[in-house]
Amino acid sequence: MSPRRMKPQPTHHWDRETALVAQFAACVSFISFAYYFQHGGLLLYGDAVAHINIARRVFDSRTPGLLQLGTVWLPLPHLLLIPLLLSDSAWQSGIGGSVPSMVAYALGAAGVFRLVRSALSGNSQPDPAARTAAWLGAIVYAANPSLIYLQTTAMTESLYLALFIWVVVYFSEFVRE
């Protein structure tokens, strides 16, 4: 008889605590968006204006098409912006450019939380010290003033940070398995 291997129990990656971190970050995101929108700060960076204009040129230019994406920046942020910039008011105000950055900010905070918690607890149930450290890591990430401002604009930094954080989260979980 061969010994039976124990299958690892499926983990609930988006547990209540991770979702709570994402919800808190989304609240911070929305409040900062409202502040900077009211004070006219969404389009202060020339690069933010360039990002939304590049995305808009894909469907609103003399030669529309995906060839409009061939600039110095990678195309993913612009592709995410295209459906949000169909409205002239969302394009002119910069609101359409803020949405992907805001979502990425909340997901980045949740990713930091999950990465720290799982790194400190391994495959076992997280102990209070691991949970506290994970909350602290997520708060440090989410309380960065530069990131709080950048996630309200059409800049790409919050998207790239969130994608990188989640790559590290999934890679660390793969290595741990």
Side-chain angles (χ1 to χ4, degrees):
M1 286 196 139
S2 64
R4 286 189 177 172
R5 288 189 180 197
M6 293 192 60
K7 290 185 178 182
Q9 295 297 321
T11 58
H12 300 287
H13 296 298
W14 279 93
D15 58 6
R16 288 184 186 190
E17 209 167 18
T18 306
L20 186 62
V21 170
Q23 290 169 357
F24 280 141
C27 289
V28 170
S29 177
F30 184 74
I31 290 168
S32 64
F33 170 79
Y35 175 82
Y36 287 113
F37 178 71
Q38 184 151 8
H39 290 88
L42 299 184
L43 297 175
L44 289 179
Y45 277 127
D47 284 357
V49 175
H51 287 301
I52 63 172
N53 286 337
I54 289 168
R56 179 77 180 201
R57 276 195 322 241
V58 170
F59 62 89
D60 184 17
S61 70
R62 287 180 144 197
T63 56
L66 292 178
L67 290 177
Q68 297 297 327
L69 297 175
T71 65
V72 296
W73 290 298
L74 294 172
L76 178 62
H78 304 118
L79 290 171
L80 294 174
L81 291 175
I82 290 171
L84 302 168
L85 297 175
L86 292 172
S87 162
D88 284 342
S89 61
W91 170 53
Q92 292 168 351
S93 65
I95 292 172
S98 299
V99 174
S101 297
M102 294 168 62
V103 170
Y105 170 79
L107 292 175
V112 167
F113 176 82
R114 184 165 145 187
L115 179 66
V116 173
R117 186 182 66 182
S118 65
L120 294 178
S121 63
N123 289 337
S124 63
Q125 283 292 93
D127 59 345
R131 292 174 63 215
T132 303
W135 274 100
L136 184 62
I139 289 170
V140 167
Y141 176 86
N144 183 329
S146 294
L147 187 57
I148 289 174
Y149 172 68
L150 285 175
Q151 62 89 29
T152 63
T153 67
M155 299 295 283
T156 60
E157 283 78 359
S158 61
L159 178 63
Y160 290 130
L161 280 171
L163 290 174
F164 183 77
I165 288 166
W166 281 98
V167 164
V168 173
V169 167
Y170 285 124
F171 182 71
S172 68
E173 289 176 359
F174 169 76
V175 168
R176 215 174 353 270
E177 292 295 325

